[in-house]
Structures are given as structure tokens and as C-alpha cells.
Amino acid sequence: MRTRPRTALLAATAAVAGVLIAVPLDSAEASRPAADVATTKLYELTVPARTTVAKDAELLEAQGFDVLEGSGGGKVKVLADPTERERLISLGFSATVTRSLPQVRWKTPSTTDSTYYGGYPTVTGQYAHMDKVARTKPALAKVVNYGASWRKKNDLGGSKLKAICITRIAGRKDCSLDPKAPKPRFVLMGQMHAREIATGDVAYRWIDHLVGNYGTDATVTSLLNSTEFWVIPVANPDGVEIVQEGGDAPYLQRKNANTSNGQDCAIPPTGQSQSGVDLNRNAGFQWNTGGSSDDPCSPAYHGPTADSEPELTAVQTLFRKLYPDTRGPALTDIAAADTRGMFISLHSDTRMVLFPWAFTKDDAPNDASLRAIAAQLAADTGFTHGQPGELLYTASGGTDDWAYGELGIPSFTIEIGSTTDTTCNGFLPAYSCMESSYWPTMLPALLNAAKSARAPYQVGQSSR
Ligand SMILES: [Zn+2]
């Protein structure tokens, strides 16, 4: 089977979105600069809660609205086009436009371009970067292909799934796919939600910081001698391909590119519809127990069954090869006190450090340590910390609940963002914000998390 021609794809999308595409895509692509294309405007809306934020967020999600991770403080944040805004108001809500997202213009990076939207790395750029690091620093880094994306598996283009292991490679067991490897593992993952583009860039910079400072910076040298760093900068490469097709106005695709569930879901995404499965609602640990959607076009669609998506199951398989299982099967089983390692999944943009459980407000068995580490990360970044149910509402099927629940790994979601709201926050911060705000905010937190990876469940224990 071959990829549909892009004109057909666009026409289908236009029909769904109810907009007129005046310029044939092929001619727009052939002649630069790209012609403007009429399209639906997208707004970030602030919706004051009528009951509680948690209840209203769940209600709106059930109604098919794109409820953003940035809700809280008495307000729900919703991504919507003008039609969806009207529907929101007809349901009795008021909705203020907080941010108007850029009009879509066609300036798609070519398959060989390494950056887009002012400097953000494309999938091609991320993969070339990892390969180059491993090629030029073989004593410090190794690239591992750990699976294939949905499009790749279905012969529709797509990508391999790639991770890079960074440590002082002293023997065969370093960077091996063996849970009994000598050093604790710290995995940092970006862009499982494709449109959260700052997360991939922070992961990219983390790779450079580690390999670039070995032997000169005492902290980095000590960490690479004692710990293995695994970085998955793009957990959802098919989704990122859709995002970057927007060029200077990246598409807000959150999910993967699996089109087999809702045939009419929009590609690229519109305010009310997007194709794919939410990889961070698909994991088979307390799957579909709240905070996710049955609607295939919803941004929070949990998939037809638990663990149905190749990008997620590949991460799970990789984790089983990197971490021993230190937690029993019961919800109340505590992970072993000598558990080693750490997992951080990067998301944006609400400036929060989240930890299990996400599917319930109940404390996780290792709550004291998880909470203490999260408090440290919050102090380092200026973010707030708590379980999702404490800060907003519960969400099931997440990778961090799975990693902690199945294997006992101390797992965190960091919602990265900036206080400079007009230019640097949101899903599409100006690229200059990475250097001025995101990276300096995150580096101290990542270094402290790395130090905790040696004995994470000793953190926050009053007696040892
Ligand atoms: Zn996210």
C-alpha cells in the first residue's frame, strides 16, 4: 500500500474541516514562497469552570473538546476553532480567547531538512543528530533502534524508533539491553505528544550537554561514570511528521498517525478532530479507567484496546530490557527500596511536575519518595508538583503509571513551560525561548534527577 497523494489528503481534510482550499497544494509546493491557504483559525480558550475544573474538564472531554493539559486555577483551557467555540457557548460556558494560533501557511520542510519553525529539529534532524553523536563519540554513546512507527509498520513511510544511550562505555554490559546492567538507567523521553515541540528540543540539548561536557565538567563526568542515560527525543515520529508539515505554523497533532480507527478524523488536525491514538492514554495499566476518550477523533482517544500502538509497545519492550521489575502485581505493593533508575516523560506546557498515580487520587505505595523527588524537581524549575488528580483531574493509560505500576520505576511527567506567556508558553513557543527560558530552567532539574537515579526510593525516607 502506498501513501495517499498529498492533494487527496488535503482535499479530504478540507472536506472534514469545511473549508475551501483555493490553491492546489502541488502548485503551492512547486513555487516558493508558499502561498497562503485559507484555513480554519484556531484559538486557545480560557473557560471559567461552572462546577469544578475537574468535572468540567471531564464533561468537555466527553463532548469531544480538546481540553489542554494547562487547565487549573478555576479555569479549563480548550483548543478550538470558531465553530467549536460556538458549541462551547451553546453548552452554557463562556470562553475567552487567550491565544490565537498562527494561520496555516504551507511551508513544509523537505524530507532532508533538519529544522523547521525557526530552528526546532525535524525527525530527520533528531535522528541525524543522534547518529552523529554516536559516530563521533563511540566511547560515550550508542544508538539503539527499538522498533518501528505505525506508518513504518504499515508501509506508509514512517520511521524507525530510535533511542541513544550515553555513558562512559567501559564494557559490553554498558548500554546493553539487559536489566542486570551495572549502572542505573535514567530515561528521558520527549514528544510522545507530538505537538509539544519544546520537549524534543530539550531532549536534544540534554544529549549535547552530556556528551559535550564529559571530561571537562565534574558533575557530568561523575554522572557518566556512574549512570546510563537513555534519551528518546521523539517517541512519536509519525505525529511529529504531521506537526512539522505545518512549517511556520506547525500542526497541533498530539497523537500518532494510526488512521485505522476513525476513518473521518482530520489529517492534519482541526480544532475538533484529529486522527490517531493518544499514546499517553493507551498503556495497559488501568487502561480506560477515566480521563481518556472513546471517540477516535478526540485528542485523548485511548485506542481500541490497551497497548494497541506500536510506538507505545516498543517503549514498553525497551523498558523491560532496561529495568528489572521491582514491584509486585497488587496496586498496594511497594517497589523495592533498592530499586535503581528514573524515568521522565516530557510534556508541555503547564509548568507542573506530576507523579503516579495518575489514574486515581490515591497515593502510590512509594508516595513519600515520589513526592520528595517531585518537590526537588519543582524547586529546581519553579513549577508546581503533585499527582494529576491533585492538580487537575485523573488520567489513565499514561506511560508513567505503566512504568511505575508494572516495573516499579520512579516515573515523572514534567510539563515544561515558561512564565513569559505571550511568546514563550503554549505548544509553539518561539524557538529563541529554548535558549532563553526552557533549557536553563530544565538543566538543573535533570541533573538533580540524575543524581537521584542511584537510590530513588531512599529519597524522602525519614530513617535509613
Ligand atoms: Zn502531553
Side-chain angles (χ1 to χ4, degrees):
M1 196 158 55
R2 295 194 50 83
T3 313
R4 277 189 288 170
R6 293 193 29 139
T7 39
L9 200 66
L10 242 211
T13 304
V16 168
V19 296
L20 178 70
I21 304 290
V23 183
L25 187 63
D26 290 344
S27 67
E29 279 190 324
S31 57
R32 300 283 179 210
D36 283 1
V37 175
T39 189
T40 307
K41 236 178 148 46
L42 268 184
Y43 302 116
E44 194 179 292
L45 302 174
T46 298
V47 182
R50 292 190 312 184
T51 56
T52 65
V53 170
K55 276 188 189 155
D56 284 353
E58 246 172 66
L59 170 85
L60 292 174
E61 203 158 70
Q63 290 275 337
F65 287 97
D66 191 349
V67 177
L68 298 177
E69 288 162 18
S71 306
K75 294 176 181 104
V76 184
K77 273 166 70 178
V78 174
L79 194 66
D81 62 19
T83 314
E84 285 291 282
R85 188 182 178 208
E86 288 306 312
R87 189 161 75 88
L88 197 56
I89 290 164
S90 75
L91 290 170
F93 289 93
S94 64
T96 313
V97 176
T98 318
R99 185 179 286 116
S100 193
L101 294 162
Q103 279 280 48
V104 172
R105 293 188 306 121
W106 282 100
K107 196 180 169 194
T108 306
S110 81
T111 51
T112 54
D113 282 348
S114 57
T115 63
Y116 71 113
Y117 190 54
Y120 284 92
T122 58
V123 176
T124 300
Q126 289 276 16
Y127 283 16
H129 176 237
M130 285 194 273
D131 288 340
K132 185 179 174 192
V133 165
R135 196 169 59 243
T136 55
K137 308 259 186 182
L140 293 179
K142 182 181 166 186
V143 170
V144 171
N145 293 327
Y146 68 92
S149 72
W150 184 88
R151 282 181 172 172
K152 182 103 181 154
K153 280 203 178 286
N154 289 277
D155 201 17
L156 294 164
S159 303
K160 290 176 186 167
L161 302 172
K162 276 196 187 210
I164 187 166
C165 171
I166 299 169
T167 190
R168 187 177 78 88
I169 300 175
R172 285 178 50 226
K173 292 214 162 169
D174 287 322
C175 294
S176 65
L177 294 174
D178 178 355
K180 296 195 196 82
K183 297 173 189 162
R185 265 82 185 250
F186 173 12
V187 175
L188 183 72
M189 183 170 79
Q191 278 187 292
M192 178 161 258
H193 285 156
R195 67 192 181 186
E196 297 165 16
I197 64 174
T199 66
D201 195 73
V202 165
Y204 186 109
R205 289 167 194 265
W206 180 233
I207 294 169
D208 280 349
H209 186 81
L210 293 174
V211 296
N213 289 295
Y214 185 79
T216 53
D217 177 280
T219 301
V220 169
T221 305
S222 161
L223 283 172
L224 262 59
N225 286 338
S226 62
T227 307
E228 255 182 42
F229 295 89
W230 288 72
V231 187
I232 303 171
V234 188
N236 176 11
D238 289 354
V240 176
E241 268 183 10
I242 296 173
V243 169
Q244 69 196 32
E245 274 172 21
D248 283 343
Y251 291 127
L252 294 173
Q253 178 73 16
R254 164 179 161 109
K255 304 186 287 179
N256 74 354
N258 183 346
T259 50
S260 59
N261 301 294
Q263 302 301 328
D264 297 329
C265 307
I267 313 170
T270 64
Q272 66 270 44
S273 172
Q274 65 171 266
S275 195
V277 173
D278 186 343
L279 300 174
N280 208 36
R281 297 289 186 279
N282 185 237
F285 182 86
Q286 299 291 319
W287 177 77
N288 191 14
T289 55
S292 63
S293 175
D294 297 330
D295 172 5
C297 301
S298 160
Y301 175 50
H302 50 53
T305 54
D307 300 330
S308 58
E309 302 310 298
E311 293 88 353
L312 171 70
T313 54
V315 165
Q316 293 168 326
T317 303
L318 177 66
F319 277 25
R320 290 191 191 282
K321 292 173 183 170
L322 296 182
Y323 297 98
D325 182 0
T326 66
R327 207 185 76 86
L331 280 179
T332 50
D333 285 340
I334 191 163
D338 62 356
T339 299
R340 304 187 310 162
M342 176 82 60
F343 166 49
I344 293 178
S345 181
L346 294 177
H347 290 255
S348 69
D349 64 336
T350 63
R351 311 182 74 246
M352 289 173 182
V353 180
L354 305 170
F355 53 89
W357 303 119
F359 78 94
T360 173
K361 284 184 178 177
D362 294 348
D363 284 354
N366 296 82
D367 181 78
S369 292
L370 294 170
R371 198 170 291 273
I373 294 168
Q376 175 66 55
L377 298 174
D380 292 336
T381 51
F383 300 168
T384 53
H385 72 287
Q387 288 172 245
E390 294 169 341
L391 297 180
L392 174 60
Y393 57 97
T394 57
S396 60
T399 332
D400 43 1
D401 266 10
W402 179 89
Y404 172 72
E406 283 293 321
L407 297 172
I409 306 164
S411 301
F412 301 88
T413 287
I414 305 186
E415 291 266 354
I416 63 177
S418 168
T419 50
T420 313
D421 205 43
T422 47
T423 48
C424 282
N425 216 29
F427 291 135
L428 307 175
Y431 185 65
S432 59
C433 303
M434 297 300 104
E435 190 73 37
S436 66
S437 170
Y438 283 72
W439 178 239
T441 300
M442 283 305 295
L443 178 59
L446 293 175
L447 291 171
N448 270 329
K451 288 172 195 164
S452 298
R454 291 168 207 171
Y457 294 140
Q458 306 298 316
V459 178
Q461 300 300 313
S462 47
S463 59
R464 296 181 51 181

